[in-house]
Structures are given as C-alpha cells and as structure tokens.
Amino acid sequence: MDKVAIVTGGAQGIGEAAARRLHADGFKVAILDFNETLAQQVASSIEGFAAKVDVSDRDSMFAAVKTVVEHYGRLDVMVNNAGIAPSGSLMDMRQNDFDKSYAVNAGGTLWGIQAATEQFIAQGEGGKIINAASQAGIVGNPGLGLYGSTKFAVRGLTQTAAQELAEYKITVNAYAPGSAVTPMLKAAAHEMAVAAEKSDEWALEQFATGITLGRLAQPEDVANVIAFLAGADSNYITGQTIVVDGGTIFH
C-alpha cells in the first residue's frame, strides 16, 4: 500500500524539493499551495495531486486535507512547509507584517497539525507531522526578528504537539534550514544587490558568510532531512528540531 504525504508550500523552493524527494521514496504526494498553477505543474511532473490552500485559514486547511484524503484514501505524512519571511528591523514592522507572519507561519502550522491529526486518529495507525522551523528560530537574527519569532513559535508547537499526540502514535518534528538557494532567498539577494549596486551573485555570497561548510544550502539538502523524518528510520524521534544550516550555529 502506497503511503501518502502532503507538502504545503510545495510549489517551489524547499517544498518542491521535498515533494520530489518523497515521490522518489515511493510516496504518493499531494501539493497544497496558494499558487495553484505552480502546484499543478509540480504535481504533474511527479504524478501527484495538487490543490489550492490558504494555510492561514483553518477551514481552508481542513478542506484541502479532506480533498487529498478523498483522492488518495489516506494520509501518512504531513509536511507543514508553507511560510513567509518578512525582513527588516523590529522597529520597522507594522500590524500587517505581524498579523500575516503569525497567521501563515504559526497558524498554518497549527491548522496543519490539527487537520492531519484528525485524519491520523480516524485511521488509527499513527502518522508523522513535520514542521518548518528555521535557523532564525533557534537563534535570534537581527533583521529577521519577526520572522524568527514565528519560527520559535513553530518549535514550541512542535514540542507540545509531540507530547499531546504521542498516545495516538503520531510523531511531530521540525527542520530548521539556514540560508538555502530558494526563490525567496534569491529575491532577498536581489534587493540587497540593488541597494549595494552589486551583482546578485555578490549578494548570495554574503548570505554564505559564516557557514562552516562554505556554501549555501540547496533545497535538496533540506529535503533529505524531511525525507528522513518522513521515513521509518526516525520512528523513535519526536519533539525535535533538526538544524540544517551547514554548520552556522552550534548548540
């Protein structure tokens, strides 16, 4: 029997890499994304399923998960990957920045946990929930304070859910990427390059400063960890956040 995985925000970046890796590992993969066109394109390339979702809306998340279960008949792994990354000093942040960041990053994770858990309990076979934290949710980073605080929240949700859901044979873990070459990072690098009157390549090199392994992460580097958490080798791990940053922080 094929196992089924959902990846939110799976239309590009780390989410897309995770979807492709889980497909390679034998999962039937459903991509839930706000950008339905891109989601459909990725899904078609891996014989998967796609549906539009607004992860910040609880009803939308529950409806999307229901659609996946109606299509595939079950759910085994939930990857709450969708997120946004506002940048700027804390003093620059405004009400809309706060509301949207917490609604998507923390709210989307909570609603994903709830929707997946409801299905896992109905199936009675347990399941795996994998949440997107961030290196900025391990150590506070100037310029990413609001974003990082939402990822600290994701870690808290992960630890609490792991304890509350263990009785249902559900494990809950998170991955914390550092700087990865994604559309989101490329956009940030371009803004930096324009401001400094430098090239985009120069800006990307700045993001790589301080990484022990000497390079930015590729989305596939993070997808490898997601695949580990989705597989049987991680069955005795729960409530943990795995840092995937090439050795930028140590703790």
Side-chain angles (χ1 to χ4, degrees):
M1 178 176 59
D2 291 324
K3 288 192 172 184
V4 177
I6 286 175
V7 181
T8 68
Q12 57 185 340
I14 290 170
E16 178 183 353
R20 295 188 184 282
R21 172 58 192 270
L22 291 173
H23 168 68
D25 287 351
F27 283 88
K28 295 292 185 183
V29 182
I31 296 170
L32 304 184
D33 202 286
F34 194 72
N35 190 326
E36 189 173 10
T37 299
L38 284 181
Q40 291 286 0
Q41 291 174 2
V42 175
S44 296
S45 70
I46 59 173
E47 300 178 336
F49 178 77
K52 183 173 182 176
V53 71
D54 176 357
V55 299
S56 70
D57 183 276
R58 186 177 188 271
D59 290 343
S60 178
M61 180 69 88
F62 271 75
V65 170
K66 182 180 179 181
T67 299
V68 172
V69 174
E70 288 174 348
H71 181 80
Y72 282 128
R74 63 180 294 109
L75 178 64
D76 300 279
V77 172
M78 180 72 173
V79 183
N80 292 309
N81 171 77
I84 58 174
S87 61
S89 72
L90 290 177
M91 292 301 293
D92 289 336
M93 297 297 103
R94 296 296 181 262
Q95 188 72 48
N96 181 65
D97 299 312
F98 179 89
D99 293 345
K100 187 173 183 180
S101 297
Y102 271 89
V104 173
N105 294 352
T109 299
L110 176 57
W111 309 144
I113 289 171
Q114 289 184 348
T117 295
E118 183 177 84
Q119 180 61 28
F120 291 155
I121 292 176
Q123 291 171 184
E125 302 170 13
K128 290 175 176 284
I129 297 172
I130 306 167
N131 301 322
S134 170
Q135 179 226 80
I138 307 292
V139 175
N141 290 348
L144 291 173
L146 178 58
Y147 169 72
S149 72
T150 68
K151 295 303 186 175
F152 272 93
V154 168
R155 290 176 58 213
L157 289 168
T158 298
Q159 293 176 17
T160 303
Q163 295 171 77
E164 293 184 354
L165 304 180
E167 65 177 292
Y168 304 110
K169 300 180 181 178
I170 298 170
T171 62
V172 189
N173 293 290
Y175 53 98
S179 296
V181 184
T182 63
M184 187 182 296
L185 184 72
K186 289 179 180 178
H190 180 69
E191 289 183 12
M192 178 189 293
V194 170
E197 298 183 345
K198 302 277 190 176
S199 68
D200 287 8
E201 290 71 22
W202 170 87
L204 286 172
E205 289 175 1
Q206 307 315 300
F207 281 106
T209 301
I211 299 177
T212 301
L213 294 182
R215 67 173 177 86
L216 295 169
Q218 294 298 318
E220 291 74 17
D221 292 317
V222 185
N224 292 341
V225 174
I226 295 171
F228 165 69
L229 292 173
D233 287 348
S234 65
N235 282 353
Y236 196 59
I237 299 174
T238 196
Q240 306 305 308
T241 297
I242 299 179
V243 181
V244 196
D245 68 355
T248 305
I249 60 172
F250 299 89
H251 68 100

